[in-house]
């Protein structure tokens, strides 16, 4: 009994000890398990995965830049970086129909090089130099951004230590057509210029990431790819440009600019009734596919937006419209225009060439482009009145187009005008404008005095088709419809009677146009010997549809507005033909220019 | 399943590559060069025949080709080495579809030509005359 009781007691103790031990061991395991599976789980699995997993970016596609008809001006294509694993670069066995054959590293390198345009030795050098830097090197780039055909050819070699990375590239299918506007991106895909830069917030995509695992031999394990974060594509920028017309205009501009030896030139084509820019050409220009092909960085943008200059006599249309709107004169108001006019405030105004006193109407002043005559009309308004008209026409501020680094032009406050500037601003000197601002002045006159915001981008088209960032299109009445109409009819007389009437003649249409010849500032307060010559106008004048504004800087072989006039004629004809503008019926009403 | 996925990937790549070739040869520079190569000249003198009263609007004159003779002054680096469709390629580095198109110049040039400068006439507007 006693034994039994003792043995029972000792048995109980043994069981108790065993149970306690058991619990202790289980607890130890649990603690260890929790430690491994929970506490240090992330570090450990990262460590283990790090030995075999590879993380790589998944690129979202940058949005396209398209013209008004959906033609792609800038698009994203898939390109491939060819990479290799230096430490795994050893000979391998290739199975072909003729049987197995051993391919050495040198042989493989030569095969790849033959496709990528490198020498086999160059590729061997990539392997040896990365191994020299790091004997365990697992990554080196053979070549970047090859297209699908090269990728396929290299892939078909089935070299186990060659890998590919997808990498989106940017192409500009139309080359230099609208290259001045579209801009370009760097080889790393960073927006650098033009709409690529200005609309980057619309175009930019968000990259995602994915990981895959690879075995000890470096081969990707099937089914191991995990998308960690999905990529988001960028939106498309829809411009108002017509790429076919843009090409024609650039070609016509380049041809005449080269023939006349111009330093640079611009052409703006704007829709009168919408304010949309359908073509903005620059010469010289850039092919965004080959940015370095344009040596001078200043030639890689759009001077139509970024260069301001003294416009000269095209500006007289603005002064005439202002005087008419204020009711200070009519199209037939008579003045006497001398060669030299000394208004008495110290200013000294003269015309471009000597002449006897002319008996001109306001219409005649525009036809003859007389500075002294224009001064006699301009002084009918106060400086403040003229300044207010200029700002309402959009001078002194950049247009609504929103182009990067757009120039606002220089318009000094009227109380800072010196006596000469007071008069010079009546005929387009003493202030500066961009080609866009001049086009906008003519758009206002053509559109019954209503200035519309200048539009280059119609909006940002999101992936779901909705358009965002659509610009405002509300116009402002700058001058009365009758003042605008009278100015238009006077400009028709200029078109018919000015010295270039035979050069810019477009049969069948009524056209309103005006020339300008302005001295160019030398940047040191004086003027150079060169001139900025220009022609601006619109047609059909009886129901205006399009403004065309042409500027050439310093055409050394033909330093007058006879240089831009043929471009105006050619571009306006093409615009009228392309958009099927109906030819004018009745001729323009005749307005007397002299008395 | 896996084979179909692989085939889909390949076909997507082919589609991208062929589209790239297509937009390249659709560029205005390429169209203009091809149109001029088959003897077309652009006429920037618009003349209309109004069908309602047979009136000729504008002053008819023969086309001189405002762009004729001028080499392309609007470069496109993508077209380097791309042959005209009328001059089948001997060998170029461009994609297979370009040389494929070059084997059938007669059918290729026709759709290309009208696009060079003249869009299709709209309804209710005067019909353009060509002389």
């Amino acid at each position: 009994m006693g034994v039994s009781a003792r043995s029972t007691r000792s048995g109980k103790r043994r069981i108790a000890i065993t149970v306690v031990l058991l619990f202790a061991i289980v607890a130890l395991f649990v603690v260890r398990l929790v430690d491994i599976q929970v506490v240090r789980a992330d570090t450990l699995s990262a460590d283990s995965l790090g030995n075999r997993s590879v993380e790589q970016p998944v690129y979202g596609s940058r949005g396209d830049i398209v013209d008004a008809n959906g033609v792609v001006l800038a698009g994203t294509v898939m390109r491939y970086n060819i990479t290799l694993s230096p430490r795994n670069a050893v000979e391998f066995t290739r199975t072909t129909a003729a049987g197995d054959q051993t391919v050495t590293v040198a042989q493989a390198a030569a095969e790849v090089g033959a496709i990528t345009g490198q020498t086999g030795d160059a590729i061997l050098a990539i392997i040896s130099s990365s191994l020299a830097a790091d004997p365990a090197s697992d990554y080196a780039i053979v070549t970047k951004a090859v297209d699908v055909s090269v990728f396929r050819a290299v892939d078909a070699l089935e070299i186990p230590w060659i890998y590919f990375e997808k990498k989106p590239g940017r192409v500009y299918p139309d080359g230099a057509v609208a290259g001045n506007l579209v801009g370009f991106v760097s080889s790393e895909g960073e927006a650098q210029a033009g709409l690529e830069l200005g609309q980057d917030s619309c175009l930019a995509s968000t990259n995602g990431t994915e990981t895959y695992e690879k075995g000890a031999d470096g081969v990707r394990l099937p089914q191991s790819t995990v998308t960690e974060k999905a990529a988001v594509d960028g939106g498309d920028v829809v411009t108002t440009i017509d790429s076919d017309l843009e090409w024609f205009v650039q070609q016509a501009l380049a041809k005449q600019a080269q023939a006349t030896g111009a330093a640079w030139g611009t052409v703006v084509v704007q829709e009168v009734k919408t304010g949309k820019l359908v073509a903005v050409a620059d010469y010289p220009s850039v092919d965004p596919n080959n940015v370095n092909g344009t040596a001078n960085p200043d030639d890689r943008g759009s001077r139509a937006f970024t260069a301001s200059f003294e416009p000269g006599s095209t500006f007289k249309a603005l002064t005439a419209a202002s005087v008419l709107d204020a009711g200070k004169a009519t199209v037939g108001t008579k003045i006497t225009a001398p060669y030299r006019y000394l208004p008495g405030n110290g200013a000294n105004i003269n015309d471009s060439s000597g002449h006897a006193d002319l008996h001109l109407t306001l219409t005649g002043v525009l036809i003859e482009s007389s500075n002294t005559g224009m001064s006699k009309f301009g002084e009918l308004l106060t400086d403040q009145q003229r300044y207010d008209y200029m700002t309402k026409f959009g001078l002194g501020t950049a247009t609504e187009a929103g182009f990067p680094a757009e120039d606002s032009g220089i318009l000094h406050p009227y109380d800072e005008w010196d006596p000469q500037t007071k008069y010079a601003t009546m005929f387009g000197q003493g202030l500066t404008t961009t080609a866009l601002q001049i086009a906008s002045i003519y758009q206002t006159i053509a559109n019954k005095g209503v200035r519309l915001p200048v539009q280059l981008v119609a909006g940002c088209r999101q992936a779901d088709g909705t358009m965002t960032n659509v610009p405002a299109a509300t116009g402002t009445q700058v001058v009365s419809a009758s003042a605008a109409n009278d100015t238009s009819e006077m400009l028709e007389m200029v078109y018919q009677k000015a010295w270039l009437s035979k050069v810019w003649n477009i049969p069948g249409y009524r056209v309103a146009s005006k020339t300008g010849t302005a001295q160019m500032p030398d940047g040191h307060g004086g003027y150079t010997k060169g001139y900025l010559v220009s022609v601006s106008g619109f047609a059909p004048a009886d129901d205006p549809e399009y403004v065309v504004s042409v500027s050439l800087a310093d055409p050394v072989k033909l330093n007058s507005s006879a240089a831009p006039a043929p471009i105006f004629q050619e571009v306006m004809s093409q615009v009228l033909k392309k958009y099927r503008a109906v030819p004018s019926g009745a001729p323009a009403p005749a307005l007397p220019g002299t008395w | 399943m896996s084979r179909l996925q692989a085939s889909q990937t390949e076909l997507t790549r082919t589609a991208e590559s062929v589209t790239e070739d297509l937009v390249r040869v659709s560029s205005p520079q390429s169209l203009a060069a091809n149109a001029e190569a088959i003897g077309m000249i652009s006429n920037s003198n618009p003349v209309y025949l109004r069908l309602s009263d047979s009136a000729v609007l504008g002053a008819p004159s023969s086309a001189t080709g405002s762009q004729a003779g001028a080499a392309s002054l609007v470069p496109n680096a993508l077209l380097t080495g791309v042959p005209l469709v009328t001059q089948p390629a001997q060998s170029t580095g461009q994609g297979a579809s370009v040389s494929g198109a070059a084997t059938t110049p007669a059918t290729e040039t026709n759709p290309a030509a009208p696009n060079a400068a003249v869009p299709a006439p709209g309804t209710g507007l005067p019909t353009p005359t060509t002389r």
Side-chain angles (χ1 to χ4, degrees):
Chain A
M1 188 67 198
V3 170
S4 157
R6 198 166 53 244
S7 73
T8 305
R9 211 164 37 244
S10 79
K12 272 185 182 166
R13 191 184 301 130
R14 211 173 293 140
I15 289 171
I17 289 168
T18 309
V19 166
V20 167
L21 262 174
L22 214 61
F23 270 104
I25 290 167
V26 168
L28 206 68
F29 280 149
V30 167
V31 167
R32 188 71 179 140
L33 192 70
V34 167
D35 182 41
I36 291 173
Q37 288 288 5
V38 181
V39 178
R40 294 198 288 149
D42 290 347
T43 0
L44 287 174
S45 64
D47 275 0
S48 94
L49 208 60
N51 290 333
R52 61 180 203 280
S53 87
V54 180
E55 184 177 279
Q56 64 178 15
V58 188
Y59 295 100
S61 182
R62 185 174 172 85
D64 292 347
I65 299 177
V66 300
D67 85 346
N69 306 312
V71 175
V72 176
L73 299 172
T76 296
V77 289
M78 199 45 79
R79 291 286 183 260
Y80 303 85
N81 290 346
I82 301 178
T83 71
L84 55 77
S85 170
R87 71 167 183 204
N88 289 319
V90 290
E91 66 178 35
F92 65 98
T93 306
R94 180 182 285 158
T95 310
T96 64
D100 289 359
Q101 57 180 158
T102 304
V103 182
T104 65
V105 175
Q107 211 177 328
E111 287 173 354
V112 173
I115 298 165
T116 59
Q118 292 160 293
T119 61
D121 289 344
I123 293 170
L124 290 176
I126 293 171
I127 298 174
S128 54
S129 66
S130 0
L131 285 179
D134 173 14
S137 172
D138 198 19
Y139 180 85
I141 289 179
V142 179
T143 183
K144 285 183 171 183
V146 300
D147 65 13
V148 174
S149 56
V150 173
F151 159 72
R152 281 182 169 163
V154 176
D155 195 34
L157 297 175
E158 296 188 329
I159 300 167
W161 37 269
I162 292 272
Y163 305 95
F164 303 93
E165 292 172 339
K166 281 178 159 187
K167 172 91 205 211
R170 203 74 170 146
V171 292
Y172 304 90
D174 283 2
V177 173
N180 54 335
L181 307 174
V182 168
F184 44 86
V185 298
S186 70
S187 56
E188 296 305 313
E190 296 286 322
Q192 303 250 288
L195 292 175
E196 289 273 30
L197 181 62
Q199 297 288 320
D200 195 40
S201 57
C202 168
L203 295 164
S205 58
T206 313
N207 289 346
T209 49
E210 67 175 20
T211 53
Y212 65 86
E213 295 171 21
K214 65 178 182 180
D217 56 355
V219 173
R220 180 194 280 230
L221 299 179
Q223 308 290 334
S224 68
T225 304
V226 178
T227 302
E228 308 262 307
K229 187 167 141 244
V232 182
D233 291 348
D236 293 342
V237 169
V238 181
T239 68
T240 59
I241 297 295
D242 182 299
S243 58
D244 286 346
L245 182 69
E246 175 80 14
W247 168 79
F248 182 94
V249 175
Q250 283 183 248
Q251 177 84 7
L253 168 65
K255 194 175 61 170
Q256 181 71 356
Q258 288 179 0
T260 58
W264 53 267
T266 64
V267 178
V268 178
V269 184
Q270 189 182 20
E271 267 184 8
V272 167
K273 291 167 184 171
T274 63
K276 289 180 176 172
L277 299 168
V278 289
V280 179
D282 277 270
Y283 168 86
S285 189
V286 65
D287 178 354
N289 296 306
N290 179 22
V291 174
N292 292 332
T294 303
N296 181 354
D298 290 345
D299 293 340
R300 294 177 186 167
S302 177
R303 287 190 175 87
F305 287 94
T306 59
S308 65
F309 49 84
E310 293 183 82
S313 302
T314 51
F315 195 81
K316 285 173 182 155
L318 183 152
T319 307
S322 307
V323 173
L324 290 175
D325 185 63
K328 298 291 185 184
T330 67
V331 294
T333 300
K334 300 166 181 173
I335 51 99
T336 300
Y339 164 64
R340 186 173 300 282
Y341 177 45
L342 303 168
N345 72 341
N348 182 345
I349 313 299
N350 63 271
D351 280 341
S352 58
S353 56
H355 60 75
D357 285 1
L358 297 171
H359 290 179
L360 300 175
T361 62
L362 179 54
T363 311
V365 166
L366 288 174
I367 294 171
E368 299 297 331
S369 201
S370 165
N371 294 341
T372 58
M374 204 71 238
S375 300
K376 290 197 170 179
F377 282 103
E379 65 190 7
L380 299 174
L381 298 177
T382 66
D383 293 351
Q384 182 175 359
Q385 279 177 307
R386 286 196 298 115
Y387 179 84
D388 288 346
Y389 276 117
M390 289 182 210
T391 51
K392 278 163 78 183
F393 268 104
L395 303 190
T397 45
T399 71
E400 301 80 355
F403 197 77
E406 187 172 346
D407 199 316
S408 59
I410 298 166
L411 176 62
H412 295 295
Y414 62 90
D415 47 11
E416 292 174 15
W417 292 350
D418 62 25
Q420 189 70 21
T421 305
K422 170 189 165 82
Y423 281 89
T425 51
M426 295 171 191
F427 44 86
Q429 300 244 309
L431 51 81
T432 68
T433 62
T434 61
L436 263 293
Q437 288 170 328
I438 291 295
S440 185
I441 291 172
Y442 280 78
Q443 181 274 325
T444 307
I445 293 168
N447 192 35
K448 302 184 174 70
V450 178
R451 181 181 181 278
L452 294 170
V454 178
Q455 229 186 87
L456 176 63
V457 174
C460 174
R461 191 171 59 207
Q462 305 294 342
D464 60 4
T466 54
M467 287 280 264
T468 57
N469 304 350
V470 177
T474 320
T476 47
Q477 191 84 42
V478 176
V479 293
S480 68
S482 72
N485 186 55
D486 286 349
T487 309
S488 170
E489 287 183 359
M490 290 194 292
L491 292 173
E492 283 193 75
M493 291 299 108
V494 177
Y495 166 75
Q496 286 183 15
K497 301 203 168 145
W499 66 290
L500 288 168
S501 59
K502 294 227 165 27
V503 181
W504 61 23
N505 185 39
I506 302 171
Y509 289 95
R510 282 171 59 180
V511 181
S513 55
K514 180 78 192 79
T515 56
T517 308
Q519 289 171 290
M520 291 169 67
D522 61 6
H524 309 288
Y527 287 107
T528 64
K529 285 188 181 137
Y531 288 92
L532 189 130
V533 291
S534 59
V535 174
S536 292
F538 50 86
D542 41 339
D543 183 15
E545 296 277 359
Y546 292 95
V547 170
V548 172
S549 180
V550 184
S551 309
L552 286 180
D554 197 16
V556 288
K557 295 178 192 163
L558 185 58
N559 224 332
S560 76
S561 39
I567 305 177
F568 177 84
Q569 196 275 344
E570 209 172 309
V571 169
M572 187 61 97
S573 298
Q574 178 72 9
V575 168
L576 294 171
K577 179 181 73 171
K578 180 175 171 68
Y579 295 108
R580 298 284 182 263
V582 180
S584 307
L591 301 175
T594 54
W595 53 278
Chain B
M1 184 70 151
S2 156
R3 198 168 62 240
L4 287 175
Q5 279 176 347
S7 139
Q8 188 193 15
T9 310
E10 278 304 298
L11 290 173
T12 309
R13 281 180 192 147
T14 307
E16 281 174 1
S17 162
V18 170
T19 306
E20 225 181 291
D21 289 341
L22 177 65
V23 293
R24 175 165 53 214
V25 296
S26 311
S27 66
Q29 294 97 326
S30 166
L31 291 173
N34 280 302
E36 283 184 3
I38 57 170
M40 302 189 76
I41 47 175
S42 89
N43 182 2
S44 33
N45 178 25
V47 180
Y48 297 91
L49 172 64
R50 193 162 59 206
L51 296 177
S52 55
D53 59 356
S54 303
V56 174
L57 307 172
S61 67
S62 61
T64 52
S66 59
Q67 303 295 325
S72 177
L73 302 172
V74 186
N76 188 349
L78 295 181
L79 290 172
T80 310
V82 177
L84 294 176
V85 288
T86 48
Q87 297 164 359
Q90 278 80 39
S91 71
T92 67
Q94 298 298 337
S97 70
V98 175
S99 34
T103 56
T104 54
T107 51
E108 287 297 310
T109 49
N110 288 337
N115 287 331
V118 188
T123 50
L125 288 167
T127 316
T129 63
T130 48
R131 283 165 195 271

